[in-house]
Amino acid sequence: MSATSFKGRTVLITGASSGIGAALARRFAVAGSRMALAARRVERLDALADELAGSGAPKPVVVEADLFDDRVPPRLVRQVRDELGHIDVLVNNAGVGYSGRFEDHAPEQIEHLIQLNMRALVRLTHLVLPEMIERRSGWILNVASTAAYQPIAYMTTYAASKAFVLSFSEGLWAEMRQHGVVVTSLNPGTTRTEFFDHHGWNKAREMFMKRAMTAEAVAEIGVRALARGKPSAACGKGNRVLAAISALLPRSWSARLTAKALRPAGS
Ligand SMILES: NC(=O)c1ccc[n+]([C@@H]2O[C@H](COP(=O)([O-])OP(=O)(O)OC[C@H]3O[C@@H](n4cnc5c(N)ncnc54)[C@H](OP(=O)(O)O)[C@@H]3O)[C@@H](O)[C@H]2O)c1
């Protein structure tokens, strides 16, 4: 399949205020896309919009959106349509992760993860798809993770949420082929972003950071995979090898190996 150009396309990116989302915004700006950037930290989005406009790209629309709130996805889509017209590309990037003992996580933390990583992603996808199907044109990039490939002890909820995103995206990729709509799961390994700053990742962070990629490299792989209509893309050779090994290992082995590696001190 020949690669698509996103020049002039309208792209909505969630979680664009930092990390992979911001890198994707910069990458789509280079491609000449028109953009809407959504997240809670609106001052970050404004700064990014100014930066992109300063580099000659069309100035993105900034939308303050807390996707923990169930009412926000329909509002977000409505606002983007009002300001930019139909959405050609949806990038479901916003996500959070926690490491540590499941029983120690606060209920609100768990709810936030489930809401953001899965419910909001599915809701936004469901909101934009009918128009894409009608137009026989559209692209959805869902940011999963290499955590999707196997169970990971002490990152249980996060890994399970990303397994959901990968499976959802691949299934939908096949459903949407007949409609001319592409759905791609982008599966980064450890990436240097603010992701690990927030959520008590101490032990996992040390272990994972050794092999970290840049957000820019991840964004490049994501946009290329989407343009080529791929169902999913693991980021980097090391992560592709990891994915292949994970597929061969019994899942109980992965669970036990990760439990050994990531068990918090004193457990
Ligand atoms: N970094 C990694 O190693 C890695 C690896 C694999 C996959 N990923 C995935 O990549 C995606 C982006 O993460 P990142 O690494 O770029 O981390 P990040 O820099 O922490 O970015 C997370 C983004 O999600 C947004 N977000 C968080 N809560 C939100 C909410 N309630 N409503 C709307 N937006 C919200 C944040 O914006 P606000 O705080 O401004 O709302 C931020 O823009 C996530 O889905 C993550 O799971 C990351």
Side-chain angles (χ1 to χ4, degrees):
M1 189 187 281
S2 64
T4 302
S5 160
F6 294 112
K7 190 172 167 50
R9 303 284 187 188
T10 299
V11 181
L12 165 59
I13 304 177
T14 68
S17 57
S18 60
I20 295 169
L24 282 162
R26 292 190 178 96
R27 180 59 184 77
F28 277 108
V30 170
S33 307
R34 301 181 324 137
M35 268 180 285
L37 309 176
R40 294 168 303 178
R41 289 171 297 175
V42 77
E43 65 295 341
R44 293 273 201 113
L45 298 177
D46 282 332
L48 180 58
D50 287 343
E51 175 199 317
L52 299 181
S55 70
K59 184 162 182 176
V61 167
V62 162
V63 187
E64 184 174 2
D66 183 352
L67 292 169
F68 186 55
D69 183 340
D70 252 340
R71 294 165 302 180
V72 165
R75 274 187 212 157
L76 172 59
V77 167
R78 205 176 316 123
Q79 188 175 339
V80 177
R81 280 185 182 141
D82 286 349
E83 298 200 33
L84 293 174
H86 67 265
I87 296 166
D88 293 302
V89 183
L90 168 66
V91 181
N92 280 309
N93 163 74
V96 285
Y98 310 111
S99 171
R101 283 180 289 259
F102 174 70
E103 68 272 25
D104 290 346
H105 292 144
E108 311 79 60
Q109 262 188 324
I110 297 169
E111 284 305 318
H112 187 218
L113 185 149
I114 289 171
Q115 175 67 27
L116 193 63
N117 295 13
M118 296 184 282
R119 281 177 62 90
L121 177 145
V122 171
R123 185 84 177 96
L124 284 167
T125 302
H126 199 252
L127 282 162
V128 301
L129 263 183
E131 199 181 34
M132 290 181 173
I133 291 170
E134 198 179 313
R135 296 170 52 79
R136 292 200 56 77
S137 171
W139 295 265
I140 298 175
L141 183 65
N142 291 329
V143 181
S145 165
T146 48
Y149 297 133
Q150 66 286 299
I152 305 184
Y154 301 108
M155 279 172 56
T156 44
T157 325
Y158 179 68
S161 76
K162 293 302 183 179
F164 174 90
V165 174
L166 175 60
S167 179
F168 172 72
S169 306
E170 289 178 325
L172 205 55
W173 172 82
E175 277 189 46
M176 287 301 127
R177 276 164 65 85
Q178 61 174 321
H179 298 297
V181 177
V182 172
V183 182
T184 299
S185 177
L186 174 62
N187 311 325
T190 310
T191 310
R192 280 181 207 289
T193 68
E194 295 170 22
F195 183 82
F196 294 97
D197 297 349
H198 312 298
H199 317 294
W201 278 95
N202 304 338
K203 191 169 180 188
R205 176 195 200 130
E206 259 171 53
M207 203 171 102
F208 295 144
M209 271 303 165
K210 289 176 197 145
R211 302 176 49 248
M213 289 178 74
T214 64
E216 289 69 31
V218 168
E220 182 62 36
I221 291 165
V223 173
R224 278 177 189 233
L226 189 67
R228 289 186 162 79
K230 304 248 192 238
S232 79
C235 295
K237 199 170 167 193
N239 288 321
R240 286 199 297 277
V241 171
L242 194 75
I245 294 172
S246 292
L248 295 174
L249 280 182
R251 292 174 66 79
S252 59
W253 285 27
S254 301
R256 277 198 294 217
L257 284 171
T258 54
K260 212 168 165 187
L262 297 174
R263 180 171 290 124
S267 297

